Amino acid sequence: MMELVQRASSCFIHTAKFSSPQKRRHLANSSCKSRKKKSQTNTTSSDFARTKSLVVRGSDEVDTAVVLDKPTLRPPRFQVFNGSPAPFGATARDGGVNFAVFSMNAVSATLCLTTLSDLQDKRVIEQIPLDPLTNKTGDVWHVFLKGDFTEMVYGYKFDGDFSPQGGHYYDSSQLLLDPYAKAVVSRGEFGVLGPEGDCWPQMACMVPSPDAQFDWEGDLPLKLPQRDLVIYELHVRGFTRHDSSQTEFPGTYVGVVEKLDHLKELGVNCMELMPCHEFNELEYYSYNSVLGDYKMNFWGYSTINYFSPMIRYSSAGNLDCGHGAINEFKLLVKEAHKREIEVIMDVVFNHTAEGNEKGPTLSFRGVDNSVFYMLAPKGEFYNYSGCGNTFNCNHPVVRQFILDCLRYWVTEMHVDGFRFDLASILTRGSSLWDAVNVYGNPVGGDLLTTGTPLSNPPLVDMISNDPVLRGVKLLAEAWDCGLYQVGRFPHWGIWSEWNGKYRDTVRQFIKGTDGFSGAFAECLCGSPNLYQVGGRKPWNSINFVCAHDGFTLADLVMYNDKHNLANGEDNNDGENHNNSWNCGQEGEFTSISVKKLRKRQMRNFFLCLMVSQGVPMIYMGDEYGHTKGGNNNTYCHDNYINYFRWDKKEEALPDFFRFCCLMTQLRRESESLGLNDFPTAERLQWHGHSPGTPDWSEASRFVAFTLIDSVKGALYIAFNTSHLPVTISLPERPGYRWEPLVDTSKPAPFDFLTDDLPERDTAIKQYAHFLDANLYPMLSYSSIILVLSPDNDA
């Protein structure tokens, strides 16, 4: 049954008595001001054309003014129907748009629509109250509209209890975002303040268009075997924002598209995008006296809406209400797939941008705070994320929301997987945990407080067994502020983990710390001590030495201590224990000998990453030696500190960048460097300074091994992290001899001897007298790769 929006027709009558014409003019002015104010606040008043119809003059110099406002009705903007409770969000269909939103505790709901121009002035031009009898099914409010939605956006207003101690923050004056909105419109340009310097201008949601189309050109999921991946952690804005990128639209999805061939050249086949959901980069906006600029939320780990791509990462901005941002993200995915590069999204389902009780109310808090957040008995926000609130992930409604969101990005946006930030929060019990409600029956010992880790968390269970999602890459950052689960994250055989233990162990061993040789060997094998017992594979370990959070690779060898003064927090922020070594002198400017050692160490780290079983991950800029000046917490810098320097990459082309490209190529070409199972003694043999005699003692700083490889024949790989050089004996292979391929102690291009290197034969002759005796000299802090070749002189 159709319900037309009815607009009351009324006359406003103003009467007053004045003793002078001046006061009559005052009456007219006051009446105009009153109507002007009313037109800004009353959504129906703009529909009427008002005229003065009668002025009656009285006696005794007293005027009586009667102003009649005669309305002129115009056709209603929309036809209003009851609508459907599914699907959630705004859905274009049947010549109109269906709106559906969940709120269990609200007593009323109003759908609000406005235009882009009116949004800037915080004006709503249409308010459609939802009838609890006809526009509500269960806890879902819904309505179906037909009409002209050109350049229109929408939001909701909810009413109910405002009782923080009860967990409710309802305020009918606030326009809220739909949690299922597919794009969020506010400011169109990154880092630019809203009207009147507002850091949090009014936001609204894109109304979907039935005409919105994108030509995928037959794009299909790549489905690359995970063991073959080389992941590159990339920040969309930072990748091309520097002037040296020379891109047409720097700092955007389109800018990344222009530079995808760089990743192909490096040997990367998977991008892990730092947060691309809608967030507010002005969240931390404040003057930074150290650098003379303004602090930003640059990294983006503070989500506003999980279905919406970050609109200010698009060249279109909000000019078309977000459709352009959606298409530009799709373009990035499509063009990456054309180059055989998968796309993984970094998703932040552990907390939102609304923070604690002092934070802004943008969406979830005003829609149903007690459902979407973990709350203590008196309404306080649990803070397992360290960011003010904790998303109530294992609540039935919230976990379905997360599942719907992930499915959307896979089916509609074609992404290939997800990296879950602070994923341990996904395993915590929700507020008012009730096993009977979740599982249908009590669970033994089910006396759980909010946030207790669950052995079989329902959300992870649902994702792991979802017919759409179990076929994509699922990566967990297996920790949060109070829970560390590396090697123990609930996995159902398919989840991988950012291996923080790999990072810490490799850093310690490569810089020459005693007591890590055995742990380092485990890392080289894909960390079977963490993953084999649980039935997982080497590729369930995402190996990394550096990531966005912490030192870059160059800073790892330049600084003993963090240097975060540029953050404006007196160097109190960021990790204090970096397991770094400055190679003898602190800072970028130092002696030539120290610089040579640093380059050697960078090659050692990268070589280790590429020869380890598991999946290697490279941090953006490490391939040319990007430095952040020793800052290990650059979350707030929208400047050169976080920007990829394409000019520096050009400088590194014949040196470190070349080495990185050749190492990824070697990994890709070697069957044994990306095994599907943990290596056994049939394939791998450990060595020490002499063949077959590994040294696992506390003081050992030498690890070597041979790998049988069906393509290369065999590889000999060794690490000498001592401050002393050593001459090693190589394993005997009758009829074959070991030939040098990689030696990190050599300057470029002799650090990697390619077949087309003009001076290759001369370089090999320099080793000949050692190799003839089955020996090889290794300098301190160096690593080598030798390849087994037929001995023509045997």
Side-chain angles (χ1 to χ4, degrees):
M1 171 181 173
M2 185 178 73
E3 302 168 3
L4 294 179
V5 176
Q6 300 298 322
R7 307 188 186 279
S9 59
S10 60
C11 295
F12 297 89
I13 301 176
H14 307 279
T15 63
K17 291 186 178 180
F18 295 97
S19 60
S20 67
Q22 287 79 8
K23 290 192 175 181
R24 287 203 301 273
R25 287 195 295 272
H26 176 76
L27 168 66
N29 291 337
S30 298
S31 180
C32 290
K33 290 178 181 177
S34 176
R35 289 197 298 273
K36 182 178 180 182
K37 182 177 181 182
K38 194 177 289 290
S39 71
Q40 292 175 342
T41 59
N42 189 314
T43 59
T44 63
S45 61
S46 61
D47 297 331
F48 303 111
R50 299 184 175 85
T51 59
K52 294 181 186 177
S53 60
L54 179 65
V55 177
V56 181
R57 184 178 179 85
S59 58
D60 300 328
E61 297 186 346
V62 175
D63 294 342
T64 300
V66 180
V67 182
L68 301 179
D69 291 346
K70 293 184 176 179
T72 301
L73 287 175
R74 68 167 175 77
R77 188 185 295 267
F78 298 106
Q79 294 177 324
V80 183
F81 302 81
N82 292 344
S84 170
F88 286 145
T91 308
R93 69 183 190 194
D94 303 328
V97 177
N98 189 79
F99 297 85
V101 62
F102 162 87
S103 182
M104 179 173 64
N105 293 297
V107 297
S108 71
T110 302
L111 175 65
C112 303
L113 295 109
T114 189
T115 64
L116 281 177
S117 58
D118 286 306
L119 181 67
Q120 298 296 318
D121 296 326
K122 299 185 178 180
R123 279 199 302 264
V124 172
I125 64 172
E126 295 286 339
Q127 296 196 60
I128 302 172
L130 304 187
D131 188 332
L133 296 179
T134 58
N135 298 112
K136 188 180 182 186
T137 303
D139 295 325
V140 182
W141 303 80
H142 49 80
V143 66
F144 182 81
L145 303 184
K146 286 188 176 182
D148 183 6
F149 290 98
T150 304
E151 290 293 300
M152 296 206 76
V153 291
Y154 78 97
Y156 290 99
K157 291 183 178 180
F158 291 96
D159 202 0
D161 289 340
F162 185 87
S163 55
Q165 286 195 339
H168 304 303
Y169 286 81
Y170 288 108
D171 181 350
S172 60
S173 69
Q174 290 192 308
L175 184 66
L176 302 172
L177 297 172
D178 178 358
Y180 277 79
K182 302 308 185 291
V184 171
V185 177
S186 58
R187 297 172 295 103
E189 189 175 348
F190 193 95
V192 176
L193 294 168
E196 299 179 357
D198 192 354
C199 291
W200 289 95
Q202 182 60 60
M203 293 176 279
C205 312
M206 176 193 77
V207 178
S209 169
D211 302 323
Q213 295 181 351
F214 180 80
D215 185 4
W216 279 106
E217 301 182 71
D219 178 72
L220 293 172
L222 296 178
K223 295 185 177 180
L224 302 177
Q226 186 158 316
R227 66 177 181 273
D228 294 337
L229 295 185
V230 176
I231 299 175
Y232 187 88
E233 190 187 22
L234 181 148
H235 188 282
V236 168
R237 180 170 171 83
F239 195 51
T240 62
R241 186 62 187 86
H242 195 266
D243 291 343
S244 62
S245 74
Q246 298 183 339
T247 52
E248 184 176 1
F249 299 104
T252 66
Y253 304 120
V254 177
V256 176
V257 171
E258 291 187 52
K259 294 295 188 179
L260 285 175
D261 289 340
H262 166 77
L263 301 186
K264 194 70 176 177
E265 180 184 10
L266 180 57
V268 167
N269 58 7
C270 181
M271 286 188 297
E272 184 178 303
L273 301 180
M274 289 176 66
C276 290
H277 289 147
E278 184 68 24
F279 67 92
N280 182 11
E281 72 277 12
L282 301 179
E283 183 175 0
Y284 314 135
Y285 190 78
S286 61
Y287 182 70
N288 186 343
S289 60
V290 179
L291 294 182
D293 62 2
Y294 289 85
K295 294 175 67 172
M296 300 276 185
N297 174 13
F298 185 76
W299 285 349
Y301 288 94
S302 194
T303 307
I304 288 173
N305 185 281
Y306 291 100
F307 282 83
S308 305
M310 176 60 169
I311 202 167
R312 289 170 300 286
Y313 282 174
S314 71
S315 62
N318 62 9
L319 294 179
D320 56 356
C321 299
H323 289 97
I326 293 172
N327 286 340
E328 287 187 25
F329 186 92
K330 289 179 177 179
L331 175 69
L332 171 57
V333 175
K334 181 177 72 172
E335 293 301 316
H337 286 176
K338 285 181 180 179
R339 294 164 175 79
E340 298 291 309
I341 298 173
E342 291 193 332
V343 179
I344 289 176
M345 290 188 70
D346 195 338
V347 291
V348 191
F349 287 112
N350 56 79
H351 76 284
T352 76
E354 293 183 306
N356 59 20
E357 67 280 358
K358 297 181 181 179
T361 298
L362 309 170
S363 179
F364 303 100
R365 175 174 294 149
V367 172
D368 213 322
N369 182 74
S370 65
V371 169
F372 285 105
Y373 295 113
M374 284 190 193
L375 303 179
K378 292 186 178 181
E380 302 96 332
F381 289 88
Y382 280 101
N383 190 19
Y384 294 113
S385 67
C387 298
N389 65 54
T390 306
F391 215 47
N392 204 18
C393 295
N394 280 300
H395 186 286
V397 170
V398 182
R399 64 176 184 260
Q400 186 61 55
F401 166 81
I402 294 174
L403 204 73
D404 291 343
C405 179
L406 297 176
R407 280 186 163 199
Y408 172 79
W409 286 96
V410 171
T411 58
E412 296 296 324
M413 309 295 266
H414 289 205
V415 303
D416 303 282
F418 306 94
R419 180 263 186 187
F420 293 82
D421 182 66
L422 298 185
S424 289
I425 284 175
L426 275 59
T427 73
R428 293 182 178 273
S430 63
S431 297
L432 306 177
W433 174 261
D434 182 357
V436 175
N437 181 47
V438 175
Y439 295 114
N441 58 275
V443 176
D446 185 46
L447 297 175
L448 300 177
T449 59
T450 298
T452 299
L454 307 173
S455 57
N456 294 294
L459 173 59
V460 182
D461 188 346
M462 289 175 68
I463 296 172
S464 304
N465 293 289
D466 183 82
V468 172
L469 300 176
R470 68 173 288 110
V472 304
K473 275 74 175 180
L474 301 172
L475 284 56
E477 183 185 38
W479 57 82
D480 61 28
C481 282
L483 184 61
Y484 192 79
Q485 293 178 306
V486 171
R488 299 180 290 108
F489 189 84
H491 55 80
W492 276 265
I494 61 174
W495 284 75
S496 301
E497 297 175 8
W498 263 30
N499 192 343
K501 293 185 177 180
Y502 176 97
R503 172 199 60 206
D504 297 341
T505 298
V506 167
R507 287 186 178 192
Q508 291 275 28
F509 182 76
I510 294 294
K511 77 186 183 79
T513 306
D514 286 341
F516 283 90
S517 59
F520 180 73
E522 294 273 10
C523 292
L524 293 170
C525 292
S527 301
N529 56 318
L530 298 177
Y531 301 112
Q532 191 168 31
V533 174
R536 283 187 278 181
K537 304 292 185 179
W539 45 265
N540 290 122
S541 174
I542 307 300
N543 302 330
F544 66 103
V545 175
C546 299
H548 69 272
D549 194 359
F551 278 155
T552 66
L553 185 59
D555 289 349
L556 189 64
V557 300
M558 282 200 291
Y559 296 95
N560 283 351
D561 303 304
K562 66 181 183 182
H563 294 265
N564 296 3
L565 287 173
N567 298 354
E569 300 178 41
D570 296 325
N571 210 39
N572 291 319
D573 62 306
E575 177 60 53
N576 291 319
H577 305 287
N578 297 284
N579 297 319
S580 60
W581 179 43
N582 62 19
C583 297
Q585 290 178 271
E586 189 81 354
E588 185 173 359
F589 303 102
T590 185
S591 65
I592 293 177
S593 61
V594 169
K595 287 183 177 179
K596 288 181 178 180
L597 177 56
R598 288 173 175 175
K599 282 190 176 182
R600 191 185 314 171
Q601 287 291 74
M602 288 173 63
R603 288 191 285 261
N604 290 336
F605 280 119
F606 201 87
L607 185 150
C608 172
L609 196 59
M610 291 300 141
V611 302
S612 298
Q613 302 300 324
V615 177
M617 186 184 81
I618 305 166
Y619 175 53
M620 180 183 88
D622 279 350
E623 67 270 32
Y624 69 78
H626 182 77
T627 175
K628 296 182 179 181
N631 193 326
N632 69 0
N633 189 33
T634 61
Y635 72 97
C636 59
H637 295 290
D638 180 35
N639 53 42
Y640 67 93
I641 294 176
N642 279 318
Y643 294 166
F644 190 101
R645 293 287 302 272
W646 294 92
D647 51 342
K648 296 295 184 182
K649 179 237 174 169
E650 291 299 316
E651 293 176 10
L653 275 177
D655 194 348
F656 189 61
F657 182 72
R658 169 186 177 271
F659 180 84
C660 293
C661 292
L662 291 172
M663 282 303 309
T664 58
Q665 180 180 341
L666 176 64
R667 180 182 177 87
R668 187 168 58 250
E669 293 174 350
S670 302
E671 168 266 344
S672 63
L673 295 182
L675 299 175
N676 195 51
D677 287 297
F678 296 101
T680 64
E682 296 177 353
R683 179 187 286 270
L684 183 148
Q685 185 179 8
W686 297 105
H687 307 289
H689 293 163
S690 299
T693 58
D695 182 3
W696 308 122
S697 68
E698 185 74 12
S700 174
R701 298 187 184 181
F702 185 87
V703 171
F705 61 100
T706 48
L707 267 177
I708 296 175
D709 190 282
S710 62
V711 177
K712 301 293 184 182
L715 300 173
Y716 178 91
I717 302 171
F719 298 85
N720 176 31
T721 63
S722 170
H723 61 286
L724 299 174
V726 61
T727 300
I728 57 176
S729 298
L730 302 173
E732 295 283 352
R733 298 290 188 265
Y736 295 86
R737 65 183 282 125
W738 295 103
E739 285 198 357
L741 179 65
V742 179
D743 189 334
T744 62
S745 70
K746 306 295 183 183
F750 303 107
D751 51 357
F752 199 116
L753 300 178
T754 58
D755 291 338
D756 60 352
L757 188 66
E759 299 166 286
R760 180 176 184 275
D761 291 341
T762 301
I764 289 180
K765 286 180 181 179
Q766 294 177 349
Y767 299 98
H769 60 292
F770 284 101
L771 295 174
D772 288 342
N774 223 35
L775 302 172
Y776 193 90
M778 290 187 69
L779 292 186
S780 60
Y781 303 108
S782 69
S783 49
I784 62 171
I785 301 177
L786 310 180
V787 181
L788 197 64
S789 300
D791 187 355
N792 297 325
D793 297 329

